[in-house]
Amino acid sequence: MTVLDELSQVSILEVAQDLGLEVNRNRMVCPFHEENTPSLVLYPHTNSFYCFGCAKTGNSITLFSEIRQLSIKDTIQTMAQTYLSGYSPQQYQKSAKPLPAKNTLQTVDVKKLQEKEKPVEEIHSQIYEAFRDCCLQQPSNELSKSGLEYIKSRGFTDKTIQDFRLFMVKDYANVSWYLKQRFSTLDLQESGLFNDKNNLIFYAHPLIIPYYRNGRIVYLQGRVLGPPPEGHGRYQFLYKHPLTLFNADALDKIKLDQDVYITEGAFDCMRLVQAGKTAVSLGTANVFKKDWAKLFKRANVIFYLDNDKAGHKAADELEKIFSHFGLTCSRKQLPDEYKDVNDYYTDKLGSNEQLNLF
Ligand SMILES: [Zn+2]
């Protein structure tokens, strides 16, 4: 391993900190172009950065060299003295030869240690957020316009769309390439965003519903815009990745005995929130993890599931689980002619709300 290889493994967060840059959740105000809101993102997992404002990109070494305005040779010297134990300038001057095995081993050990400490969820959130950031940065096109029209036709207001931070995959090939540049194949597949064939899973489902927890994206769900193409469902869930609650952060803010609706689909949940209610969604009728139940201990839970066999069966089972934990719950039934909460609300309120949306 050359000095250069070793330096490119120095934590970009550490480098940014040492350079006096102010980093918040891996984001900072870009020092390479004029801006007020931070659009430069640091990727600790690959020790690289990318600015969504000016497209400046690089690694720990280029960041150091640009900020300190050093030649690449001086950058390497300075960084090696700072970050590599046992480094001596003579070794570098004789050059490009690998460092003695002892040093290499030390560096590798430290890196392995750091990787062990980094929880896998953190890497997945970084991948999901890089995916979102790249999609948001892609210019609007016909697809994204029809996406927005579609969401609005389902009765959602601009505020709801913004509050839930929905976004569109506007250029599938671009975001797929972007993620492959920044993350390992293994991490991308483990995050569930890429399948075993190493393809980004949201090909037919470009409307993305992000699941946030404590301000971080913890799950992603895609949706088709019209009827699903053959062999696909309306929704695409992450590949071999456990589902989580949608809008779970709302549960942190509830008052004792406040009504909280549990719906099946994310759209149903969004629709209830738009109507001023507190709601979370399961994503699907057939998953509920027992440890989610404790999140509802202050709430008066109302199941508001789909009006079909699966929905009724799920409500029966959820009532059993909640009763078992001594939690208060009841059930709200949709009128027969409506399949789910969103359909019900769209029919009832749709006409007057859609007027100002188009
Ligand atoms: Zn920039």
Side-chain angles (χ1 to χ4, degrees):
M1 201 187 276
T2 66
V3 178
L4 217 53
D5 289 336
E6 287 194 63
L7 287 179
S8 60
Q9 292 182 8
V10 174
S11 158
I12 196 155
L13 293 175
E14 193 182 337
V15 171
Q17 193 181 24
D18 293 347
L19 291 167
L21 301 167
E22 206 172 303
V23 181
N24 188 7
R25 283 192 173 141
N26 298 345
R27 252 173 198 278
M28 63 184 212
V29 172
C30 177
F32 306 111
H33 83 279
E34 281 286 322
E35 66 171 0
N36 296 320
T37 50
S39 44
L40 190 145
V41 179
L42 300 173
Y43 299 97
H45 196 54
T46 49
N47 290 317
S48 61
F49 69 88
Y50 180 78
C51 173
F52 287 93
C54 67
K56 181 98 180 167
T57 182
N59 60 14
S60 302
I61 302 168
T62 37
L63 184 67
F64 196 95
S65 115
E66 297 266 0
I67 298 293
R68 287 280 182 87
Q69 305 219 304
L70 295 172
S71 71
I72 199 69
K73 190 183 161 196
D74 290 341
T75 302
I76 292 166
Q77 288 252 6
T78 315
M79 283 186 79
Q81 277 160 9
T82 314
Y83 298 108
L84 304 183
S85 55
Y87 168 81
S88 77
Q90 289 83 358
Q91 275 169 351
Y92 177 69
Q93 272 147 22
K94 275 187 246 155
S95 213
K97 271 187 195 162
L99 283 175
K102 187 174 140 254
N103 289 334
T104 313
L105 278 176
Q106 275 173 4
T107 315
V108 168
D109 282 351
V110 170
K111 191 166 183 271
K112 265 192 184 156
L113 214 73
Q114 284 169 343
E115 264 175 5
K116 258 186 203 157
E117 286 165 4
K118 194 183 313 188
V120 68
E121 293 83 8
E122 166 61 25
I123 296 163
H124 294 165
S125 285
Q126 281 178 27
I127 292 172
Y128 305 149
E129 286 161 13
F131 172 66
R132 170 201 60 196
D133 292 344
C134 181
C135 288
L136 289 177
Q137 211 54 41
Q138 294 174 338
S140 302
N141 56 18
E142 286 308 309
L143 183 65
S144 62
K145 278 177 210 152
S146 57
L148 191 63
E149 268 176 33
Y150 169 71
I151 306 169
K152 289 183 171 184
S153 76
R154 298 292 309 261
F156 292 111
T157 63
D158 287 334
K159 184 175 185 307
T160 302
I161 297 165
Q162 272 165 19
D163 286 351
F164 284 95
R165 292 171 272 189
L166 304 187
F167 60 90
M168 287 281 299
V169 179
K170 296 163 208 154
D171 184 338
Y172 175 88
N174 166 269
V175 66
S176 176
W177 174 85
Y178 173 85
L179 291 169
K180 285 177 181 176
Q181 296 303 303
R182 273 163 185 79
F183 300 97
S184 73
T185 305
L186 199 63
D187 283 336
L188 288 174
Q189 290 183 0
E190 278 181 357
S191 79
L193 198 50
F194 283 70
N195 61 22
D196 286 346
K197 290 177 187 151
N198 211 21
N199 292 323
L200 178 64
I201 58 167
F202 296 129
Y203 182 71
H205 303 80
L207 172 59
I208 308 299
I209 305 164
Y211 288 42
Y212 280 85
R213 187 71 181 126
N214 301 318
R216 300 298 304 269
I217 301 183
V218 292
Y219 195 85
L220 296 164
Q221 183 187 348
R223 201 193 191 290
V224 292
L225 295 183
E230 186 141 342
H232 292 276
R234 280 188 301 162
Y235 291 102
Q236 173 71 53
F237 295 93
L238 288 177
Y239 188 72
K240 296 182 182 169
H241 200 83
L243 202 67
T244 181
L245 280 179
F246 177 72
N247 201 31
D249 282 350
L251 297 172
D252 298 339
K253 299 169 208 145
I254 56 171
K255 299 188 188 81
L256 194 63
D257 293 332
Q258 187 177 323
D259 286 352
V260 173
Y261 290 84
I262 297 183
T263 66
E264 246 177 84
F267 275 13
D268 301 326
C269 166
M270 285 167 51
R271 198 55 216 245
L272 289 174
V273 172
Q274 185 170 297
K277 302 182 192 309
T278 303
V280 297
S281 133
L282 304 173
T284 165
N286 45 33
V287 179
F288 187 89
K289 293 186 202 146
K290 288 214 165 86
D291 60 329
W292 293 349
K294 63 175 182 286
L295 294 169
F296 297 94
K297 62 187 173 204
R298 294 169 59 80
N300 175 38
V301 169
I302 304 161
F303 300 115
Y304 208 172
L305 304 182
D306 289 0
N307 210 1
D308 57 19
K309 234 184 190 172
H312 299 153
K313 187 166 164 256
D316 290 343
E317 282 172 19
L318 286 168
E319 278 182 348
K320 269 185 224 155
I321 294 173
F322 274 65
S323 308
H324 173 78
F325 287 107
L327 302 167
T328 332
C329 67
S330 60
R331 199 188 294 202
K332 201 169 163 79
Q333 187 80 40
L334 283 160
D336 278 350
E337 57 272 36
Y338 299 103
K339 190 203 169 270
D340 62 34
V341 175
N342 194 46
D343 284 354
Y344 175 61
Y345 271 79
T346 312
D347 248 356
K348 212 181 172 197
L349 305 167
S351 53
N352 69 30
E353 272 190 42
Q354 278 171 34
L355 279 176
N356 23 346
L357 290 172
F358 282 95

